[in-house]
Structure formats: C-alpha cells, structure tokens
Amino acid sequence: MQPYDWGRKHLQPIANEWEHRLGMQAQVAREAETLAINQLLSSTIKSAPVSLVMTDRDMHVVQTSDRWLREMGLENAGPVVGRTIYELFPEARERWEAAYLHCLEGNTLHTERMQMQTHDGRQPWVRTEMTPWRNPGGEVNQAAFLGS
C-alpha cells in the first residue's frame, strides 16, 4: 500500500466528519441569526406606534401591535395570534373577504374613511391600508393591515 493510499483510506473519513461538523455549525449559526431577526421583527411590530396586524393567507393573525389590540378592543380577549380575523370579527367576512383576496393578488388597498366594528362593540371611523407581504421568492404569503 502506498503512503498516499493509506492517508486517503484512513484520513478521509476524519476530513469528511470535520467538514460535516463545520457545515452543522454554519447551519446552527444561520438558524440563530434567523431567530434573532424574527424576534427583532416581532418586537418592532408589537411596539409599533400604529395600529398594525399581520395575517397569513388564510386570515390567521400572525402578529399584532399593542396599539391594534387596544384600538380593536382585544387587549382582554385572550391570545389572538393563530385565530382568524373572521373569528375575532365575524361581521368582517362580508366587508373584507373580497378586499383581502385582492390584496393576496399583490394589490395595496386604501380606504380614507370607514366605520369599523371593534370586538368590544365600539364603531370608530378609521383610515386603513391593506398591503401584501411577499416571501423571499416574491410570492404573496401574508397581508398587513394598517389603521389610523
């Protein structure tokens, strides 16, 4: 056996294991960075000085600002993340479903003055904007509602 063959036979598995471990460390680092970015985004949305709610394609609440919870009368309604807008506001389906589908097609919608029915029964007049959020591939997979 040539010395070169011996090294390839015995050292290559060690080199392969080392390469695998380095790859795993890089993956763990990427996942930690992604988690940190998601936590920053979540914290930013939660403390935003505007009324903001983000939903997925099926209208499940993904994230809200504290102001949106207050303005919609939901601060004492229990957890809202994971619930649908239609579950929180049953009367919203008729008014918002077509607009939401239009948003999921990539369109931004504005209203200058609209009366909303809040969870606690109030009916404030608000301006709203509904805008699509795209994933890194450019597909619309969420919508954001901004009210003032």
Side-chain angles (χ1 to χ4, degrees), residues 29-77:
R30 283 191 302 274
E31 289 172 359
E33 182 180 3
T34 299
L35 179 61
I37 290 168
N38 287 340
Q39 288 174 335
L40 177 62
L41 179 60
S42 179
S43 175
T44 302
I45 292 169
K46 182 173 175 31
S47 62
V50 295
S51 182
L52 176 64
V53 61
M54 292 181 64
T55 67
D56 66 12
R57 292 188 65 84
D58 298 318
M59 291 293 277
H60 290 94
V61 174
V62 175
Q63 183 67 44
T64 71
S65 66
D66 290 339
R67 184 170 173 177
W68 183 82
L69 291 172
R70 255 189 334 274
E71 289 183 1
M72 294 295 111
L74 292 165
E75 62 267 72
N76 296 317

Side-chain angles (χ1 to χ4, degrees), residues 124-141:
W125 288 92
V126 296
R127 289 185 323 200
T128 62
E129 180 171 319
M130 186 184 309
T131 187
W133 278 46
R134 298 178 187 277
N135 65 20
E139 299 169 334
V140 176
N141 64 345

